[in-house]
Amino acid sequence: GLHLIDLENFCLDRPEWDLVVSAHEYDRLGWVSRDEYLAFVDGYGRDLRDWPGFGVLAAVQEFKMTTWLMQNIAEGPHVAEEVRARLASLRDDEAPRNWRPY
């Protein structure tokens, strides 16, 4: 049988919600190389960064990533330090996002 799990982000909606993850990880976080991102864009046929709403969705994605990590702060001081760094950068749109992946 089919089992669906982890439905916190499951929906049938506009593709921008799905595309923002890869576009954000490339554009704002640098977690994806240029070649990897261009291959993704070529395969999908669209670069979300060209869409006028990209900045808003990227900000929402950063907020979600930060609040998710806040739930795990008891894992140790390294997580608390990362949360502090993320919160500081959320207060400044121009600040570099030197975030560590979790």
Side-chain angles (χ1 to χ4, degrees):
L2 178 64
H3 297 275
L4 298 176
I5 60 169
D6 200 10
L7 299 178
E8 70 186 53
N9 289 316
F10 180 83
C11 68
L12 180 60
D13 204 348
R14 298 185 53 97
E16 289 82 2
W17 285 111
D18 295 326
L19 296 174
V20 73
V21 174
S22 296
H24 175 261
E25 287 181 355
Y26 170 69
D27 189 76
R28 300 288 300 249
L29 300 177
W31 292 355
V32 177
S33 74
R34 183 178 192 281
D35 289 343
E36 290 170 324
Y37 185 69
L38 291 178
F40 172 80
V41 168
D42 184 53
Y44 195 84
R46 179 176 176 197
D47 187 345
L48 188 65
R49 297 173 310 144
D50 296 333
W51 181 61
F54 171 69
V56 172
L57 288 188
V60 170
Q61 180 68 10
E62 290 178 351
F63 182 75
K64 287 173 43 178
M65 292 172 70
T66 301
T67 56
W68 173 83
L69 190 59
M70 291 169 83
Q71 300 175 86
N72 300 297
I73 209 160
E75 289 184 18
H78 63 288
V79 175
E81 179 182 322
E82 180 68 15
V83 168
R84 280 191 294 278
R86 289 184 183 193
L87 287 172
S89 65
L90 288 179
R91 293 182 179 111
D92 181 357
D93 286 339
E94 302 303 316
R97 302 307 197 244
N98 298 323
W99 295 9
R100 292 183 297 218
Y102 280 89

